[in-house]
């Protein structure tokens, strides 16, 4: 398809008289939420930005290089957060406005959802008024074709004076043509005095009714566009009662699958690590003449701590694959719509519910995702509630504990996990009711439901793999330092051992026993909770070092040290007290308030103690009556 020409922005790299070779260009992707923008970014750059059917996931500016054009020019692509218009007041929209004002790109690639072009063309017309070089990428064009939507790309391109290209990032259609167009733009001579289509022009008002005129002339949308299958599924999934039941069943199935699929993989990996330790690591250190103290530090400290955490890598992979499947299907915004009325009762809206679901992966990006909430009061209230989401780091602890203390019948571990999911939501409800008057809001909630889509196997597997690798990269320092510190605490002063009761760790446990004893915490659990405050990922590794056992033997060691009731109290406290230092840092960064961050920290610790006290004391009373 012939496309309109583009000339570079006046804000680009200083290249004179057509000397484009060796130049560097900055391109930016911008578009509404749910346009497949991050998917297109990954397709163009080979990067791994998080992909989901919900606004707010791309809250940091992702950058990546485009393929070389063969002439020495370099291209950097920036993935901007999704916005609805240029006059919005949310954090994401303010960020895009600042980016375009202070660091305008050489070329702005506007990504539109072709199947919803009637509602998305307005943003393109607004951006056209900025005077920056533009290119429009009509993503999901294959989906629009299936819905019977016909778009005259050439006519629309000529009317707008800028290239309009149909693409499908998900199916890799039109990507080569898009890259070719971008490279052709970069090779154009510079310094031309002729105003080419797409070059910077003085902003002029959008003619009244121009959007509708463009749609009438160049877009054919069949009557009754909403697919019959979509209507039928929405009738079930958005039903006030039936839809809620389906959602809860879906969550229960996810947890049952997690336990059923990952437990055998974890056992296999744990056995493999034990074999490596006995057959290679210990003999290798002995053959090198490693001193006994250093050998115990490396094997009983670093290796046991890191190995225990490593056994949960299959869980992290499967968890993110399941979550990505739900997000990629288009169901998540419908869950937000379904829960909006209930969340409004708490002083929040459906966006907070979706961010809560995002928190199942990690609380930090869900805190950052509150930037899509424009009202500051609602945003702060959401930041108080979100840390209670059952993140994957805490999930590893619960799957381990449930498998050790509640292995039978076969559905019991999954039911335990589901119960703690409900408890996490109950904690968010309590927080909303307590603080909604302190952080009032009146912001409106606008939501556009995408069509249902079959999840892309490649996309969800890549999401699972990249999330697992990201876990390894971001937590490796915490895990290594934490495992080393725990071994030192359990082996100092010199001559102390884990079981002697004279170590620093035992002293710390005894010091806090008056506070944590009433909720069933023994000194060993108390020490592990301190390291869990740094990062929940190292909590089980800390317990392995404290109890002086391998990953495969940790279950038996804990089973002899605490009761099932103590395990329930421990899991309750782990769920509700501060997730990790990263979450605290994210709250401080986003709220820009130390007092708010301290309030959140104090509230979560207080609620955790009270709920664990209720579980342990009431549970003990019930057992006594039996």
């Amino acid at each position: 398809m012939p496309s309109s020409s583009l000339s570079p922005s006046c804000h680009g790299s200083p290249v004179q008289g057509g000397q484009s070779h060796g130049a560097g260009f900055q391109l930016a992707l911008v578009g509404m939420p749910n346009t497949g923008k991050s998917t297109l970014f990954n397709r163009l750059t080979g990067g791994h930005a998080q992909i989901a059917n919900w606004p707010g996931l791309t809250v940091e500016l992702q950058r990546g290089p485009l393929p070389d054009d063969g002439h020495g020019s370099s291209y950097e692509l920036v993935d901007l957060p999704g916005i609805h218009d240029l006059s919005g007041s949310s954090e994401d929209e303010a960020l895009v406005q600042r980016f375009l004002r202070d660091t305008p790109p050489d070329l702005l690639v506007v990504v539109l959802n072709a199947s919803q072009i009637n509602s998305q063309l307005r943003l393109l017309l607004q951006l056209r008024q900025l005077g920056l070089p533009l290119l429009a990428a009509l993503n999901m064009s294959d989906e629009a074709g299936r819905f019977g939507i016909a778009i005259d790309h050439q006519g629309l391109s000529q009317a707008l004076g800028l290239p309009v290209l149909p693409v499908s990032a998900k199916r890799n259609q039109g990507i080569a043509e898009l890259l070719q167009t971008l490279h052709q733009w970069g090779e154009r001579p510079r310094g031309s005095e002729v105003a080419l289509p797409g070059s910077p022009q003085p902003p002029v008002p959008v003619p009244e009714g121009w959007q509708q005129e463009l749609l009438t002339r160049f877009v054919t949308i069949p009557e009754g566009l909403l697919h019959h299958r979509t209507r039928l599924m929405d009738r079930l999934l958005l039903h006030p009662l039936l839809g809620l039941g389906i959602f809860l069943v879906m969550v229960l199935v996810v947890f049952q699958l997690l336990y059923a699929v990952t437990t055998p993989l974890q056992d296999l990996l744990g056995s493999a690590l034990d074999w490596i330790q006995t057959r290679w690591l210990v003999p290798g250190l002995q053959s090198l003449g490693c001193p006994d103290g250093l050998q115990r530090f490396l094997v009983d400290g670093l290796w046991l701590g890191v190995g225990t955490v490593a056994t949960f890598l299959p869980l992290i992979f499967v968890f993110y694959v399941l979550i990505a499947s739900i997000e990629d299907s288009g169901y998540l915004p419908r869950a937000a719509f379904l829960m909006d009325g209930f969340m409004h009762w708490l002083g929040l809206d459906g966006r907070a519910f979706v961010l809560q679901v995002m928190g199942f992966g990690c609380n930090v990006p869900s805190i950052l995702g509150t930037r899509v909430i424009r009202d500051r009061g609602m945003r702060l209230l959401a930041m108080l509630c979100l840390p209670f989401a059952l993140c994957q780091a805490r999930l590893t602890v619960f799957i381990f504990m449930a498998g050790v203390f509640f292995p039978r019948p076969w559905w019991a571990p999954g039911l335990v996990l589901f119960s703690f999911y409900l408890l996490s939501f109950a904690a968010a409800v309590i927080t909303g009711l307590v603080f909604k008057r302190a952080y009032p809001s009146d912001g409106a909630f606008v939501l556009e439901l995408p069509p249902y889509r079959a999840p892309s196997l490649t996309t969800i597997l890549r999401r699972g793999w990249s999330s697992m690798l990201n876990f390894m990269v971001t937590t490796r320092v915490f895990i290594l330092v934490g495992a080393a510190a725990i071994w030192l605490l359990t082996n100092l002063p010199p001559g102390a051992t884990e079981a002697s009761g004279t170590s620093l760790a035992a002293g710390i446990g005894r010091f806090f026993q008056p506070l944590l004893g009433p909720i069933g915490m023994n000194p060993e659990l108390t020490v592990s909770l301190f390291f869990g405050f740094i990062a929940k990922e190292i909590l089980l590794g800390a317990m392995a070092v404290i109890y002086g056992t391998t990953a495969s033997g940790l279950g038996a060691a804990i089973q002899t040290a605490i009761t099932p009731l103590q395990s329930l109290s421990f899991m309750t406290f782990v769920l509700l007290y501060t997730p990790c230092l990263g979450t605290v840092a994210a709250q401080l960064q986003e709220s820009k308030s130390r007092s708010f961050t301290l309030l959140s920290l104090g509230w979560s610790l207080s609620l955790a103690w009270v709920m664990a006290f209720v579980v342990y004391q009431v549970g003990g009373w019930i057992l006594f009556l039996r």
Side-chain angles (χ1 to χ4, degrees):
M1 182 195 86
S3 60
S4 299
S5 302
L6 284 171
S7 74
S9 164
C10 56
H11 305 284
S13 303
V15 184
Q16 302 295 329
Q19 301 300 316
S20 62
H21 301 319
F25 302 106
Q26 184 184 77
L27 287 63
L29 284 180
V30 66
M32 289 187 179
N34 194 46
T35 58
K37 184 168 53 63
S38 292
T39 310
L40 182 60
F41 174 85
N42 284 341
R43 185 68 72 178
L44 290 173
T45 65
H48 295 286
Q50 189 172 353
I51 305 169
N53 255 338
W54 185 256
L57 294 186
T58 314
V59 293
E60 299 294 340
L61 294 185
Q62 306 265 359
R63 299 173 184 267
L66 289 180
D68 193 0
D69 62 0
H71 298 287
S73 298
S74 62
Y75 299 80
E76 181 186 58
L77 187 64
V78 181
D79 183 18
L80 298 176
I83 61 172
H84 287 93
D85 55 52
L86 289 179
S87 58
S89 58
S90 75
E91 188 75 14
D92 276 354
E93 289 164 335
L95 188 152
V96 172
Q97 293 165 16
R98 291 196 304 270
F99 179 88
L100 295 178
R101 180 184 66 245
D102 300 336
T103 58
D106 299 298
L107 176 66
L108 200 58
V109 181
V110 186
V111 185
L112 306 179
N113 184 343
S115 64
Q116 298 174 332
I117 190 172
N118 54 330
S119 61
Q120 303 214 350
L121 188 60
R122 172 177 53 86
L123 178 62
L124 176 61
L125 297 181
Q126 286 184 346
L127 292 168
R128 185 176 179 272
Q129 304 311 110
L130 296 179
L132 292 171
L134 295 182
L135 181 150
L138 297 184
N139 198 18
M140 307 181 190
S141 292
D142 57 326
E143 187 175 271
R146 289 198 304 271
F147 290 158
I149 300 175
I151 302 174
D152 180 1
H153 307 97
Q154 293 186 9
L156 190 60
S157 173
Q158 293 174 359
L160 292 172
L162 54 91
V164 177
L165 303 177
V167 299
S168 174
K170 181 177 179 180
R171 305 195 181 279
N172 199 24
Q173 297 174 358
I175 303 301
E177 291 79 0
L178 175 58
L179 278 172
Q180 182 181 14
T181 301
L182 295 175
H183 288 159
Q184 289 175 349
W185 165 81
E187 295 167 5
R188 292 197 60 86
R190 307 299 186 256
S192 173
E193 299 297 329
V194 180
L196 298 173
S199 62
Q201 302 292 330
V204 294
V206 177
E208 186 72 25
W210 192 28
Q211 176 179 340
Q212 187 56 47
E213 179 186 345
L214 292 172
L215 291 172
T216 302
R217 289 176 58 192
F218 304 114
V219 180
T220 302
I221 301 178
E223 294 184 7
L225 173 60
L226 192 60
H227 197 275
H228 172 71
R229 185 175 59 182
T230 298
R231 288 199 300 268
L232 179 61
M233 293 181 68
D234 279 347
R235 194 175 301 163
L236 295 174
L237 297 178
L238 298 182
H239 189 276
L241 296 179
L242 186 59
L244 180 60
I246 292 174
F247 172 76
L248 293 176
V249 169
M250 186 181 303
V251 174
L252 178 59
V253 169
V254 166
F255 286 130
Q256 292 286 5
L257 279 175
L258 273 176
Y259 182 80
V261 173
T262 62
T263 299
L265 296 176
Q266 290 177 248
D267 293 341
L268 182 63
L269 185 56
S271 299
L273 291 173
D274 290 346
W275 184 85
I276 293 174
Q277 176 182 331
T278 56
R279 295 294 298 273
W280 294 93
L281 181 60
V282 173
L285 292 174
Q286 291 175 345
S287 65
L288 293 174
C290 182
D292 181 65
L294 179 59
Q295 180 176 320
R296 288 193 299 114
F297 171 73
L298 294 175
V299 176
D300 299 334
L302 294 184
W303 177 260
L304 288 184
V306 174
T308 302
V309 176
T311 59
F312 289 94
L313 291 177
L315 166 65
I316 295 169
F317 175 79
V318 174
F319 173 78
Y320 277 105
V321 166
L322 293 174
I323 291 297
S325 300
I326 296 173
E327 292 175 344
D328 208 31
S329 68
Y331 174 71
L332 201 53
R334 287 168 170 83
F337 178 83
L338 183 67
M339 298 299 295
D340 181 62
F342 178 78
M343 300 300 288
H344 184 73
W345 178 57
L346 305 179
L348 299 166
D349 60 28
R351 287 171 295 194
F353 177 77
V354 172
L355 292 172
Q356 191 87 5
V357 176
M358 286 171 52
F360 292 168
C362 179
N363 292 166
V364 173
S366 68
I367 294 292
L368 299 178
T370 59
R371 296 177 182 181
V372 301
I373 300 176
R374 304 184 183 192
D375 186 275
R376 177 166 174 80
M378 184 184 296
R379 190 175 178 212
L380 291 175
L381 184 58
M383 280 192 274
L384 277 177
C385 297
L386 291 175
F388 296 114
L390 201 165
C391 66
Q392 54 87 15
R394 285 179 282 201
L395 186 61
T396 59
V397 179
F398 296 165
I399 284 185
F400 173 78
M401 287 289 192
V404 170
F405 290 98
F406 310 98
R408 294 180 181 85
W410 65 266
W411 44 262
L415 187 60
V416 170
L417 297 176
F418 180 65
S419 299
F420 278 100
Y421 164 77
L422 294 181
L423 180 59
S424 73
F425 192 67
V429 169
I430 294 171
T431 302
L433 293 176
V434 170
F435 290 100
K436 71 175 184 178
R437 295 188 183 277
Y439 299 103
S441 62
D442 55 1
F445 176 46
V446 179
L447 179 66
E448 188 171 24
L449 298 180
Y452 292 101
R453 303 184 179 97
S456 166
L457 182 61
T458 302
T459 297
I460 62 176
L461 290 179
R462 183 170 59 186
R463 167 79 180 276
W465 181 256
S466 61
S467 297
M468 185 179 69
L469 292 181
N470 183 64
F471 168 82
M472 295 170 61
V473 170
T474 57
T475 62
R476 64 186 188 278
V477 175
F478 280 132
I479 294 170
L480 286 171
V481 173
I486 294 163
W487 187 87
L488 291 173
L489 286 174
T490 55
N491 286 271
L492 291 178
T497 61
E498 291 88 344
S500 67
T502 60
S503 66
L504 293 177
I508 294 173
R510 287 193 299 269
F511 179 81
F512 285 97
Q513 199 62 22
L515 176 64
L516 298 180
I519 62 174
M521 301 297 114
N522 62 20
E524 291 79 14
L525 294 180
T526 299
V527 175
S528 66
L529 286 174
F530 273 92
F531 286 94
F533 177 82
I534 300 172
K536 295 296 182 293
E537 290 85 352
I538 65 175
L539 199 150
L540 288 177
M543 296 176 74
V545 175
I546 291 170
Y547 285 104
T549 184
T550 62
S552 60
L554 181 58
I558 291 181
Q559 201 169 27
T560 59
I562 64 175
T563 65
L565 181 58
Q566 283 179 291
S567 74
L568 287 176
S569 177
F570 178 75
M571 287 189 279
T572 301
F573 195 86
V574 168
L575 172 67
L576 301 179
Y577 89 121
T578 307
C580 63
L581 287 181
T583 300
V584 176
Q587 286 181 312
L588 180 60
Q589 171 187 324
E590 296 302 310
S591 67
K592 299 177 177 62
S593 169
R594 288 190 180 89
S595 59
F596 172 83
T597 305
L598 290 174
L599 169 66
S600 176
L601 182 61
W603 168 250
S604 63
L605 288 170
S606 301
L607 185 61
W609 191 92
V610 170
M611 296 295 284
F613 180 84
V614 170
V615 169
Y616 187 67
Q617 296 297 335
V618 173
W621 181 70
I622 293 174
L623 291 176
F624 175 78
L625 291 180
R626 291 179 60 186

